[in-house]
C-alpha cells in the first residue's frame, strides 16, 4: 500500500500506533470469541493474535504504554498533532481491553500459559493506571502524564472514550459520564470534546 501511495505521489500511510494495534486486536478477538465453538478457527488464527498481543505488550514502559511525543494517540490522531501526549488514560485503557481479550482467545486456542500471561499483563497495566493515572484522594482519572512527569487531571471526552473499552469500576465511569453531561460540555449538537469553561483547551472562535 505504501508503494502504491508513493506511485500516486501521495504521502506514505500513517505510523501504526498503540491504539490502532489495540483496536485491531479487540476486533479480531471479538470475531474469534463469537465463534468460540470453532476451535480450529481459533487455533488457526492464534499465532497471529499472539504476535500482535506480544507487540502491544512490548510497548509497555514503566508499567504504562507511552504515546508518541510527535502527535497524540487516540481519537486526536485525526488532528495530526496536539495534546495530550505522553502516557494517556485513553490509550492505556484500550490496551488493557486488548490484552484481556487476547487472553480469552489464547484460552480458546488451548494455550493456557499464554492466556495466564496476557491476563496478568492486563491486570498489571490496569493497576499501573490506578497508581499513576488516577488521583488517590478524589479518584479522578487523569487525562495524561506528560513527558515532564506532570499529571493533567482535566476531564475531556478522552477519558470517556477509554472507559468505554475498559472501566476499572462503575463509580469512575459514572463520575466521568456525569461530568460530560454538565452545562459547560453542552454544544447544542451533543457534548463537546472539551468544556467551554477550560480556557486552555476551548476557543470561542472555533469551539
Amino acid at each position: 500500500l505504501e508503494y502504491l501511495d508513493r506511485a500516486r505521489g501521495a504521502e506514505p500511510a500513517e505510523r501504526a500506533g498503540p491504539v490502532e494495534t489495540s483496536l485491531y486486536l479487540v476486533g479480531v478477538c471479538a470475531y474469534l470469541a463469537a465463534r468460540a465453538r470453532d476451535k480450529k478457527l481459533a487455533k488457526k488464527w492464534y499465532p497471529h493474535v499472539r504476535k500482535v498481543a506480544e507487540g502491544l505488550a512490548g510497548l509497555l514502559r514503566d508499567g504504562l504504554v507511552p504515546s508518541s511525543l510527535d502527535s497524540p494517540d487516540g481519537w486526536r490522531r485525526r488532528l495530526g498533532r496536539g495534546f495530550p501526549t505522553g502516557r494517556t488514560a485513553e490509550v492505556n485503557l484500550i490496551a488493557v481491553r486488548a490484552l484481556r481479550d487476547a487472553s480469552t482467545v489464547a484460552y480458546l486456542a488451548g494455550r493456557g500459559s499464554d492466556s495466564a500471561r496476557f491476563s496478568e499483563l492486563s491486570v498489571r497495566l490496569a493497576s499501573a493506571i490506578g497508581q499513576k493515572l488516577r488521583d488517590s484522594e478524589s479518584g479522578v482519572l487523569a487525562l495524561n502524564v506528560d513527558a515532564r512527569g506532570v499529571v493533567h487531571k482535566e476531564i475531556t471526552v478522552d477519558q470517556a472514550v477509554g472507559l468505554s473499552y475498559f472501566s476499572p469500576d462503575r463509580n469512575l465511569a459514572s463520575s466521568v459520564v456525569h461530568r460530560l453531561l454538565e452545562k459547560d460540555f453542552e454544544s447544542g449538537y451533543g457534548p463537546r470534546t472539551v468544556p467551554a469553561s477550560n480556557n486552555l483547551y476551548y476557543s470561542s472562535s472555533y469551539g
Side-chain angles (χ1 to χ4, degrees):
L1 287 175
E2 184 174 334
Y3 173 80
L4 292 174
D5 286 339
R6 287 178 175 173
R8 292 196 300 264
E11 291 295 321
E14 285 187 335
R15 64 177 174 83
V19 171
E20 289 87 350
T21 303
S22 296
L23 293 179
Y24 176 73
L25 193 57
V26 168
V28 171
C29 290
Y31 178 84
L32 294 174
R35 291 153 181 79
R37 294 182 179 180
D38 190 345
K39 300 297 183 182
K40 289 184 178 179
L41 184 66
K43 290 179 179 179
K44 176 183 177 180
W45 281 98
Y46 178 68
H48 178 70
V49 169
R50 183 177 184 274
K51 183 177 181 180
V52 177
E54 292 282 6
L56 180 60
L59 297 176
L60 288 167
R61 298 290 183 275
D62 298 324
L64 294 172
V65 177
S67 297
S68 170
L69 298 180
D70 298 325
S71 66
D73 280 312
W75 71 267
R76 293 171 186 258
R77 278 282 296 281
R78 297 290 296 174
L79 304 178
R81 60 181 178 177
F83 184 84
T85 56
R87 289 161 170 79
T88 64
E90 178 195 355
V91 170
N92 282 275
L93 288 168
I94 298 174
V96 171
R97 166 69 180 276
L99 290 170
R100 188 181 64 176
D101 289 359
S103 172
T104 299
V105 171
Y107 178 80
L108 293 175
R111 302 296 182 92
S113 59
D114 285 352
S115 177
R117 187 161 57 86
F118 290 138
S119 178
E120 181 185 0
L121 283 170
S122 69
V123 170
R124 284 166 52 189
L125 180 53
S127 178
I129 291 171
Q131 293 173 5
K132 301 178 181 182
L133 287 171
R134 194 170 179 183
D135 185 72
S136 58
E137 295 181 2
S138 65
V140 172
L141 182 67
L143 177 64
N144 72 310
V145 177
D146 66 22
R148 300 168 297 169
V150 176
V151 180
H152 297 268
K153 299 179 182 179
E154 303 88 352
I155 299 296
T156 72
V157 76
D158 302 62
Q159 287 99 325
V161 172
L163 289 168
S164 70
Y165 286 91
F166 174 79
S167 177
D169 62 72
R170 183 170 295 181
N171 289 336
L172 175 60
S174 178
S175 66
V176 169
V177 170
H178 279 86
R179 178 66 185 91
L180 293 178
L181 294 175
E182 292 181 7
K183 190 172 183 179
D184 59 347
F185 270 99
E186 291 182 3
S187 69
Y189 302 97
R192 302 180 188 279
T193 56
V194 297
S197 59
N198 190 312
N199 294 326
L200 177 62
Y201 298 155
Y202 177 77
S203 170
S204 58
S205 63
Y206 57 89

